[in-house]
Amino acid sequence: SELIKPYLGSKYKVTEVPKSLIFHMSKHSGPVNEIQWCPVREQSHMLLSASMDKTVKVWDAVDTGCCLKTYSCHSCAVRAARWSSCGRRILSGGFDSTLHLTDVETGKQIFSSKTEFRISALKFHPTESNVFICGGFSPEVKAWDTRTSKVLRVYKAAVQQTLDILFLPEGREFLTSTDAVSRDSADRTIVAWDFQSAAKISNQIFHERYTCPSLTLHPKESVFVAQTNGNYMALFSAQRPYRINKKKRYEGHKVEGFAVGCEFSPDGALLVTGSSDGKVFFYNYHTSRIIRTLSAHREACVSAVFHPVLPSLLATCDWAGEIKIWQ
């Protein structure tokens, strides 16, 4: 992309809050669950989307706003899809309990496997590019190797469902957020794991009685944020024992049972989240104040992601199947 080229050699500048709509892309016929910019900087004009309409799509979301490819390898809703670190493959999982690793160019499956559960969360290991973790409607989370198509490790959590997975820097530890909230106890809502040994490090991280549909890591500081169904985002240390920061709380948006995603801007200054009322909220990370809200969608906005290279480009998606690009 000619628009991205001038930015590739220079350091990322300050993120600005986008003001205007650039593209309105609506080729999905069902809710869009997840969007992700391609992690390879030179190819970051491409945006990946996973939808309840059983498809995964790749868009040119910087230059044209056009759908480049549609992948229809799933027979049910696609709940999670991730770019590989090389940008040449897409990992997807869904309610058909299957995993697919698809070649972006040819659309062929490099790896496919059936699991015993419906998949709701997938993450690649940050340093081992062939390894990923998969979770869903099961008490277990599994690490897979795409080269052998085999399960490397099983992490047993005694929960009903894994909502999200977050690797901590270097990938030696990861967190899972689960739906294990009972009337008398909120332990196990966020669980920390040792990646190698599959041992549980802690399940006493978050004590409020809310589930956390998404987790996100700060790009520079050793902290992470959990989106909660209490209509606020909580801040935690990414170092053991992963203490919550009681002084900061990011509130004002609505979650209301949707898997609303949240993310930091690449410079770490802003925290952005969707909202079940269709808005996008921009928070100052340091003060936790709302800087601006954007009336982005008519239906629940479940994801808002900043472009990794262009400092004010934002992609958002909603429950009506629409994707919008803002600048």
Side-chain angles (χ1 to χ4, degrees):
S1 168
E2 294 301 317
L3 283 168
I4 291 169
K5 265 186 197 158
Y7 290 87
L8 291 175
S10 58
K11 201 163 167 273
Y12 185 95
K13 307 248 181 342
V14 175
T15 306
E16 290 179 19
V17 175
K19 298 176 180 70
S20 53
L21 180 65
I22 306 293
F23 297 123
H24 180 180
M25 310 181 313
S26 56
K27 290 266 192 292
H28 278 297
S29 60
V32 180
N33 287 313
E34 189 164 45
I35 48 175
Q36 187 197 6
W37 293 104
C38 182
V40 179
R41 291 167 67 84
E42 293 79 9
Q43 294 164 17
S44 59
H45 61 289
M46 293 193 291
L47 183 78
L48 172 67
S49 61
S51 170
M52 298 297 252
D53 69 6
K54 310 177 189 175
T55 70
V56 171
K57 290 182 187 290
V58 171
W59 310 78
D60 175 349
V62 170
D63 295 298
T64 64
C66 292
C67 180
L68 301 174
K69 283 253 170 99
T70 299
Y71 306 93
S72 307
C73 44
H74 289 276
S75 60
C76 286
V78 186
R79 186 60 189 81
R82 308 296 297 173
W83 289 102
S84 63
S85 59
C86 65
R88 293 198 294 271
R89 296 165 175 186
I90 291 165
L91 176 68
S92 58
F95 289 174
D96 58 0
S97 305
T98 57
L99 288 162
H100 292 294
L101 185 68
T102 305
D103 182 286
V104 173
E105 287 285 314
T106 65
K108 288 200 171 76
Q109 265 71 62
I110 298 158
F111 148 85
S112 288
S113 184
K114 188 95 172 137
T115 62
E116 317 82 71
F117 54 85
R118 288 183 296 162
I119 296 155
S120 55
L122 293 171
K123 287 288 158 68
F124 274 107
H125 192 280
T127 60
E128 296 179 45
S129 59
N130 297 294
V131 174
F132 68 88
I133 288 190
C134 162
F137 292 79
S138 163
E140 297 175 344
V141 174
K142 295 180 176 183
W144 290 76
D145 191 322
T146 58
R147 290 162 300 192
T148 60
S149 307
K150 290 202 162 66
V151 173
L152 292 174
R153 261 171 237 107
V154 178
Y155 306 83
K156 298 192 163 133
V159 297
Q160 287 175 314
Q161 187 191 353
T162 298
L163 306 175
D164 200 8
I165 297 161
L166 180 71
F167 274 104
L168 297 178
E170 283 120 50
R172 288 194 287 270
E173 294 169 11
F174 70 93
L175 306 167
T176 55
S177 64
T178 75
D179 68 348
V181 175
S182 60
R183 279 198 309 258
D184 51 341
S185 151
D187 66 347
R188 307 202 307 276
T189 307
I190 298 174
V191 182
W193 302 89
D194 183 285
F195 175 72
Q196 288 295 345
S197 71
K200 234 190 238 108
I201 299 166
S202 173
N203 60 4
Q204 300 289 322
I205 298 169
F206 184 55
H207 296 288
E208 303 275 320
R209 287 192 189 140
Y210 299 112
T211 52
C212 300
S214 68
L215 307 168
T216 191
L217 194 63
H218 194 278
K220 295 178 175 172
E221 295 180 22
S222 190
V223 295
F224 72 91
V225 156
Q227 178 80 270
T228 80
N229 271 312
N231 299 324
Y232 67 90
M233 292 177 284
L235 182 68
F236 298 84
S237 166
Q239 308 274 337
R240 297 184 195 183
Y242 319 105
R243 282 209 175 88
I244 192 167
N245 183 330
K246 295 216 169 96
K247 295 194 184 82
K248 276 188 198 168
R249 213 182 208 204
Y250 305 85
E251 51 196 352
H253 63 290
K254 295 186 174 84
V255 181
E256 294 177 341
F258 286 94
V260 174
C262 54
E263 192 187 69
F264 286 101
S265 57
D267 60 358
L270 302 179
L271 178 60
V272 63
T273 178
S275 180
S276 64
D277 58 9
K279 293 194 177 89
V280 176
F281 284 72
F282 300 89
Y283 293 87
N284 178 314
Y285 159 59
H286 293 289
T287 66
S288 66
R289 287 205 183 100
I290 297 170
I291 297 169
R292 191 170 298 153
T293 61
L294 188 64
S295 293
H297 297 273
R298 287 192 309 276
E299 300 224 13
C301 175
V302 291
S303 190
V305 289
F306 276 111
H307 193 275
V309 179
L310 300 167
S312 69
L313 201 70
L314 183 85
T316 61
C317 67
D318 76 358
W319 211 240
E322 296 183 348
I323 299 167
K324 292 183 179 180
I325 308 297
W326 308 83
Q327 195 173 9

